[in-house]
Each structure stands twice: as structure tokens, then as C-alpha cells.
Amino acid sequence: MRKNIKVLLLVLCVAALSATVFITTTAFSTQSIDVLGAAVTSDTNLTSEALPKAATMNDYENQIAAMINNVRVENGLKQIAADGLLNEVAGIRSQDLINRNYFSHYTPEGTNVFDVMRSSGVSFRYAGENLAQSAPASAGTVEGFLNAWMNSPTHRDNILRAQYTKIGVSMAEIDSRRVVTTVFTN
């Protein structure tokens, strides 16, 4: 009987220890997804129309664009088309955020996505940028980023802006961090 009690106590101790480890790793997880207030502009000084390049996005970026289009359609809006030049602009932004380890709509020098668009020959009347980052990189799922944007009024407004007709998406990552930039124009 004593042996059975000792075995039972040992099993209970192991179960309690396992539960503690599980609670500690899930409740105090260091995984996070951050979004930054959406950047939006209405620019009446149009530049000459740049010829759109072929839109090339990887599977992850295509999933982001597809989910954004699904949300737009669910809200009675038209789908927006992927644009190669906007993908390049989004890529410049994502890679800069990773390479120089900052998270802002403004570079350390004070420039922003609208400056990058203009220097890349992108014309627009309406434009916007949504940024998201995750740590570790693997925490940045397509669904996680979309949910974070949709739960932020400024990002949601950017996704659901009726004037937008084009989108560019780019994801850049290192082991500890993933950054996604979406760029919208009319």
C-alpha cells in the first residue's frame, strides 16, 4: 500500500511539474506581433504614370494579398490588384526595417514610404502603408498579421479604403524577426 502511495505521489509530482512547464511556456510566451499606426496620404501632385511591372510575390506574400482581398470583398469593396512596382517599394521598406533594425513609418533620416514611391516613379492620389512585425519570425503568420491589422482602426481603414486599386506586399525576416509591409495606391 505504501509503495502504491509513493508511486501515486511520484506520478502526481511529475504531472504537476509538466503542467507548470506547459503553463510557463504558453502564458509567458515571448512571441509577439506588433503593428504600427497606418500611414496614409492623399497627394494631389500626381507624377507621370509609371508602367506597372509584373507582380512577383512569394507564396506568403500572395496569401497576405489574397486575404486582404477577401476582407475587402466581404465588406462590399472591389479586389485590388498586385502591382510589381509596389512590391518593389514594399520590399525596399521591409528590407530596410530588417537591415537597420527599426520599426517605424519613418526611416532614421525622416523619409517615409511616400518618398520611396515618388523616387521609384509611382504615381498616386491616395496611398497608404501598413507595417507589422513579429518576434520570433515564426510567430508572424498570415492570419496573425491580418487579425492584428483588422483589430487596429487605422490599419483596418487602410485595408478597406475604397480608393485603393493596387497593392504591393513584401515580407523580410531574420531568425528572430519578421516584417511585413503592405503598400496601397489608387
Side-chain angles (χ1 to χ4, degrees):
M1 173 104 168
R2 280 187 154 180
K3 189 174 184 178
N4 289 344
I5 291 174
K6 286 182 182 179
V7 170
L8 180 61
L9 286 175
L10 180 62
V11 168
L12 289 174
C13 287
V14 169
L17 181 60
S18 297
T20 302
V21 169
F22 175 76
I23 290 168
T24 301
T25 58
T26 56
F28 301 104
S29 174
T30 58
Q31 295 184 357
S32 68
I33 292 179
D34 299 313
V35 294
L36 195 62
V40 181
T41 191
S42 173
D43 186 355
T44 56
N45 297 319
L46 298 173
T47 60
S48 61
E49 184 68 37
L51 293 174
K53 297 182 180 180
T56 56
M57 295 187 286
N58 65 32
D59 288 343
Y60 182 95
E61 294 159 344
N62 274 313
Q63 288 175 25
I64 294 266
M67 289 186 81
I68 286 172
N69 272 329
N70 288 343
V71 168
R72 288 177 62 86
V73 169
E74 289 168 4
N75 285 275
L77 298 170
K78 292 180 180 178
Q79 291 187 6
I80 51 182
D83 181 89
L85 194 52
L86 291 182
N87 289 339
E88 288 182 20
V89 169
I92 290 167
R93 292 286 294 134
S94 289
Q95 202 58 57
D96 192 52
L97 292 165
I98 286 287
N99 291 346
R100 299 200 296 163
N101 196 28
Y102 71 97
F103 188 61
S104 172
H105 288 292
Y106 292 91
T107 68
E109 297 77 28
T111 61
N112 60 32
V113 70
F114 311 116
D115 298 313
V116 176
M117 285 183 194
R118 288 182 190 102
S119 69
S120 298
V122 175
S123 66
F124 58 90
R125 181 169 183 144
Y126 298 95
E129 173 184 68
N130 281 356
L131 299 175
Q133 71 174 350
S134 65
S138 61
T141 65
V142 171
E143 295 83 5
F145 282 152
L146 184 67
N147 288 337
W149 284 326
M150 293 307 290
N151 287 317
S152 163
T154 57
H155 293 92
R156 180 183 172 85
D157 289 349
N158 235 3
I159 289 170
L160 298 178
R161 193 164 314 281
Q163 292 89 347
Y164 294 152
T165 59
K166 300 175 188 173
I167 188 172
V169 181
S170 177
M171 181 268 295
E173 69 180 10
I174 55 176
D175 291 340
S176 61
R177 183 172 171 230
R178 176 176 290 169
V179 172
V180 172
T181 303
T182 57
V183 180
F184 305 92
T185 65
N186 60 310

